[in-house]
Amino acid sequence: MRILRTDESRFRALPDFPYTPRYVEVGTDTPLRLHYVDHGTTNAAPVVMLHGEHGWSYLYRHMIPLVADAGLRVLAPDLIGFGKSDKPEDQQDYSFERHLDWLERWLLALDLSNVTLVCQNRTSLLALALVMRQPDRFSRIIAANAVVPREGDNPPATSIWRMFARYSPWFPVPQLIQLGTTRPLTREERNAYDAPFPSDRYKAGARSFAGTLGQPHKELNRQRLWRFLEGWQKPFITCFSDSDPGTRGGHRPLQRKVPGALGQPHITLSGGHFLQEDAAESFARVIINACRPSLAA
């Protein structure tokens, strides 16, 4: 496995991202470094914010200080292949199981417990698989524009997107982020989303992600995931947007099927696919309100 590491100079002077880089070694046979943001009081209740496709921890830059200032500890990891984390060069080096293993090693290395999990779009499959493996470490889940398909769901657009991501000679990450927002990103913000990728060689993880998430490991088929969710009693809150056709209506089965969703303050916010960009303050308020029991403890 050939590993690429984006030079730190690419991340200098990013707008609204003053956080000290932190790393955990998550590889086994091959040394592999996973980057994360850790902001707030160390012994406070942790909130793990997991980015979606294309993005990295920079996606949460406007939310991190708001949630930390409320008295919580915010942790925002970069998945392997994204952000400041190491990047295997071959698309074949990525799989659902490997992403899950890497993320679990990070969670265990930091010995996190009483975690509020914030997950985004199709990465919610990976996040929920992590909760399945370590259910006692999580106290609540906040699913933002989450895509949790049922067995047999395979929209044609998903297959087209997988083929484009894998084979297209042009894979413009900043433009893909912009397509998922309702507000125009500044040039500096677009550059920040492009910073992890000096060349296409660094994009194997980003390109493979759609296919990786569409082919979970055998231990996590969709039927088993839904059985797990249908037994989840802890708080489960959906936070969807009003202008994202790709995830429209995805909150309904989650609210109906997950016991922990009953009576929760589900909300629809104004924005596109990436609520972190379009509705950062409102989204942060959802997290803070959900975590009030932890703040009072």
Side-chain angles (χ1 to χ4, degrees):
M1 185 184 296
R2 179 175 171 79
I3 306 300
L4 302 176
R5 181 171 295 174
T6 306
D7 192 273
E8 185 62 31
S9 63
R10 298 270 302 179
F11 302 101
R12 286 180 189 155
L14 297 184
D16 305 311
F17 200 76
Y19 306 107
T20 301
R22 301 174 187 272
Y23 297 94
V24 164
E25 196 73 38
V26 297
T28 51
D29 300 333
T30 304
L32 207 56
R33 199 173 70 165
L34 187 148
H35 166 265
Y36 65 102
V37 171
D38 190 346
H39 188 62
T41 306
T42 302
N43 61 356
V47 177
V48 171
M49 299 180 175
L50 191 60
H51 66 81
E53 288 184 79
H54 323 313
W56 56 293
S57 51
Y58 182 80
L59 180 68
Y60 288 99
R61 67 195 177 283
H62 296 307
M63 298 173 58
I64 291 170
L66 298 176
V67 176
D69 288 349
L72 296 157
R73 178 187 179 188
V74 181
L75 300 108
D78 294 338
L79 296 174
I80 294 297
F82 296 85
K84 296 185 179 184
S85 291
D86 285 348
K87 302 169 182 67
E89 188 177 11
D90 194 327
Q91 291 191 44
Q92 302 306 313
D93 291 332
Y94 297 88
S95 68
F96 189 94
E97 183 182 17
R98 280 182 171 174
H99 272 298
L100 183 54
D101 287 344
W102 293 327
L103 197 56
E104 184 181 32
R105 288 179 196 131
W106 171 79
L107 179 79
L108 297 178
L110 297 183
D111 193 23
L112 299 178
S113 60
N114 189 28
V115 175
T116 295
L117 175 67
V118 180
C119 52
Q120 158 79 28
N121 71 18
R122 286 163 50 83
T123 313
S124 300
L125 283 174
L126 188 62
L128 294 172
L130 181 65
V131 177
M132 283 181 62
R133 281 193 177 183
Q134 300 289 338
D136 294 339
R137 290 183 178 270
F138 294 88
S139 58
R140 65 185 58 81
I141 299 169
I142 301 174
N145 284 337
V147 179
V148 187
R150 301 188 72 87
E151 200 69 34
D153 289 351
N154 190 26
T158 301
S159 299
I160 294 170
W161 165 242
R162 288 177 192 161
M163 294 295 289
F164 171 81
R166 184 167 186 178
Y167 297 112
S168 171
W170 186 55
F171 194 71
V173 171
Q175 288 86 343
L176 293 171
I177 296 286
Q178 181 67 88
L179 285 173
T181 66
T182 56
R183 75 168 184 90
L185 300 175
T186 67
R187 181 178 63 181
E188 291 77 13
E189 288 171 329
R190 293 194 300 273
N191 289 342
Y193 281 116
D194 202 38
F197 310 114
S199 72
D200 195 66
R201 291 176 57 214
Y202 290 73
K203 296 181 181 179
R207 283 179 172 274
S208 69
F209 209 48
T212 296
L213 294 178
Q215 298 174 338
H217 183 245
K218 60 185 178 182
E219 77 176 42
L220 181 74
N221 59 45
R222 296 173 183 180
Q223 187 177 15
R224 185 177 174 216
L225 173 59
W226 275 102
R227 282 201 305 267
F228 172 76
L229 290 175
E230 288 165 2
W232 180 260
Q233 302 287 337
K234 299 175 190 177
F236 189 103
I237 299 170
T238 62
C239 180
F240 277 56
S241 68
D242 61 2
S243 301
D244 181 23
T247 61
R248 183 173 294 138
H251 60 289
R252 296 191 187 98
L254 293 170
Q255 291 178 18
R256 288 197 309 265
K257 299 286 187 178
V258 182
L262 182 65
Q264 296 298 327
H266 307 291
I267 191 168
T268 299
L269 298 178
S270 179
H273 187 66
F274 295 106
L275 286 169
Q276 301 90 335
E277 289 290 355
D278 292 330
E281 186 172 346
S282 299
F283 192 2
R285 180 55 53 188
V286 171
I287 297 168
I288 294 166
N289 289 340
C291 292
R292 293 209 180 277
S294 295
L295 289 167

